[in-house]
Amino acid sequence: MEKQQWAEEAWQRTSSKIKQMSEAIGAGFPHASQNGKYDRTAASAWTSGFWPGLLWLAYREEQDESLRQLAEVCEAAQDEALDEFTKLHHDVGFMWCLSSVASYKITKNEQSKQRALKAASILAGRFNPQGSFIRAWNSYVWRNEEHNEGWAIIDCMMNISLLFWASEETGDARYRHIAMRHADTVLKEFIRADGSVYHIVCFNAETGERESALGGQGYSPDSAWARGVAWAIYGMAICYSYTKEERYLRASQKTAHYFMANLPEDHIPYWDFRLPAYEGAPRDASAAAIAASGMLLLSELLPADQGGMYERCALRLVKAIDRQCACYDSGNEAIVLHATGSFPTGKNIDVPLIYGDYFYAEALTRLLGNSGSRQMFW
Ligand code: GLY
């Protein structure tokens, strides 16, 4: 079937499911679906933006006012975390790009802009000038991470979109400078020669020197966590879209090549690309969805003769999700089954995760054909 027709039909299935989800979920912060039903997390959780983001995507395409109203209630509920402040971390990018930046881009709501600028300032405040990186998390004694002031993680490549947006919105270059310095550290310290990436790199927070790397949500420090590679593909493409600096484009391509070359035949990646054995290992369909949307952006940024391969791979990824992982009926509140949150800590293995749903829907809206003129929320 022709690409456009397939995308339109897949989007129709997905937008009907989002409407169905909106009736079941209402306003709140779903994270993982267990036994067919989404649980709820706190406003300060890194995933609190994905449900409003999904609602905004569907509202932008379908103009259903009930979806917009729910997205606005979710956004207002995030204020608790913004005002409380101390529980916030670098994922304020994920959280407020998909709620407040989305709202502002679609409705021009000034309060949404203010919320997103506050979140951007919090993110900028986490920059370590000695090491040129953005600190990921706060210290969690319960997680055995008492001294993580010097930890940076690959996921932050998505968060820094908020800084690029803030610079464009305010005319203040400092946000962009911080984003680029962090991205340059990622080029140097996270992306390996073969295009795979480290999840966590630990720097000395005083001197800024790199000390070690950790496996984090991946199999080992030297492995290749599938979602981490997807964050790198997408985040570097976003960096290039804002800066037009070729080094970011090349990094997005290089990580995309690693991702493509290591996919299994059915195109749904195992949770890590470097497992000692794959037999029975859980998949991570969220990584497929993120990589698909990132590769579609990458293809838009390149001339057609160079971008085509990324678009074709993205299409294979979303078709594989549609065929093997999607639930469009009421059997599960979620859309994308078979994602893996954190295998090493035993959390959310082979379940639907709200970000899998979000990036699958986002990739489909990119495929609808006019995403260049339709602004994404990053
Ligand atoms: N940002 C956390 C994750 O990808 O699981």
Side-chain angles (χ1 to χ4, degrees):
M1 191 187 296
E2 202 231 316
K3 178 189 96 180
Q4 186 70 20
Q5 192 192 340
W6 182 86
E8 277 165 20
E9 290 180 13
W11 172 252
Q12 277 321 311
R13 292 191 279 280
T14 302
S15 68
S16 306
K17 179 68 186 258
I18 296 171
K19 177 73 180 166
Q20 207 179 301
M21 288 166 84
S22 72
E23 284 150 15
I25 295 171
F29 304 119
H31 179 192
S33 165
Q34 309 281 356
N35 304 317
K37 281 189 94 59
Y38 261 121
D39 63 6
R40 301 285 188 278
T41 51
S44 58
W46 80 275
T47 49
S48 73
F50 290 107
W51 175 231
L54 204 47
L55 291 164
W56 280 121
L57 277 181
Y59 171 73
R60 194 187 56 195
E61 301 299 325
E62 309 296 331
Q63 285 83 50
D64 176 335
E65 284 300 321
S66 71
L67 303 181
R68 170 187 168 146
Q69 280 160 17
L70 278 183
E72 287 176 346
V73 177
C74 294
E75 185 190 349
Q78 284 180 309
D79 282 352
E80 178 198 326
L82 203 54
D83 296 342
E84 197 278 343
F85 171 74
T86 63
K87 293 200 184 76
L88 291 176
H89 34 74
H90 73 150
D91 287 324
V92 292
F94 281 112
M95 294 158 75
W96 275 277
C97 280
L98 299 184
S99 58
S100 299
V101 174
S103 163
Y104 180 62
K105 283 187 175 177
I106 294 173
T107 68
K108 293 281 162 243
N109 179 344
E110 275 300 309
Q111 199 184 1
S112 296
K113 176 176 157 183
Q114 287 161 10
R115 286 173 172 135
L117 288 176
K118 277 188 201 167
S121 299
I122 290 170
L123 186 56
R126 300 184 73 86
F127 183 66
N128 180 316
Q130 277 304 91
S132 291
F133 64 87
I134 291 173
R135 178 183 180 180
W137 302 303
N138 302 336
S139 297
Y140 298 104
V141 178
W142 56 270
R143 217 160 76 176
N144 205 19
E145 289 173 15
E146 215 171 331
H147 296 291
N148 59 10
E149 297 84 354
W151 292 16
I153 71 171
I154 192 65
D155 323 31
C156 194
M157 284 307 301
M158 296 300 289
N159 290 324
I160 62 177
S161 313
L162 184 62
L163 300 177
F164 288 121
W165 169 84
S167 264
E168 285 200 343
E169 207 48 53
T170 59
D172 184 338
R174 292 173 302 159
Y175 297 105
R176 184 178 71 251
H177 291 161
I178 289 174
M180 290 176 74
R181 283 189 50 193
H182 178 85
D184 287 336
T185 298
V186 170
L187 291 181
K188 187 161 163 262
E189 306 290 0
F190 282 72
I191 302 183
R192 305 186 187 108
D194 67 357
S196 65
V197 301
Y198 291 102
H199 182 197
I200 303 176
V201 175
C202 309
F203 299 89
N204 182 308
E206 283 296 334
T207 65
E209 275 163 44
R210 184 193 211 269
E211 290 182 331
S212 59
L214 300 173
Q217 282 157 261
Y219 175 73
S220 75
D222 297 318
S223 73
W225 177 44
R227 197 159 62 250
V229 183
W231 293 141
I233 297 167
Y234 202 163
M236 284 293 169
I238 293 170
C239 263
Y240 176 70
S241 75
Y242 278 102
T243 63
K244 296 289 176 276
E245 291 287 342
E246 202 166 307
R247 60 188 184 279
Y248 303 134
L249 177 68
R250 299 293 166 231
S252 178
Q253 290 179 284
K254 182 168 155 175
T255 49
H257 297 166
Y258 182 85
F259 195 97
M260 290 191 260
N262 286 280
L263 282 170
E265 239 168 64
D266 64 11
H267 276 73
I268 304 297
Y270 293 95
W271 66 278
D272 194 296
F273 288 120
R274 281 198 191 122
L275 295 176
Y278 291 102
E279 181 88 33
R283 308 297 186 111
D284 184 8
S286 77
I290 296 158
S293 201
M295 286 190 208
L296 287 171
L297 172 61
L298 183 54
S299 75
E300 284 165 22
L301 296 168
L302 285 161
D305 61 338
Q306 293 171 44
M309 67 185 282
Y310 306 108
E311 190 194 65
R312 287 190 292 278
C313 182
L315 195 57
R316 288 195 296 274
L317 289 167
V318 286
K319 284 188 172 176
I321 294 172
D322 175 60
R323 205 170 43 240
Q324 293 153 233
C325 306
C327 171
Y328 298 110
D329 61 24
S330 55
N332 199 303
E333 270 179 17
I335 307 169
V336 178
L337 315 179
H338 306 305
T340 293
S342 175
F343 189 88
T345 53
K347 280 208 199 95
N348 298 324
I349 298 167
D350 195 12
V351 296
L353 294 161
I354 191 67
Y355 41 96
D357 293 358
Y358 175 80
F359 284 102
Y360 175 61
E362 189 193 81
L364 293 179
T365 63
R366 282 192 189 280
L367 275 171
L368 292 181
N370 30 2
S371 62
S373 57
R374 269 163 218 241
Q375 288 179 301
M376 288 296 160
F377 310 143
W378 305 104

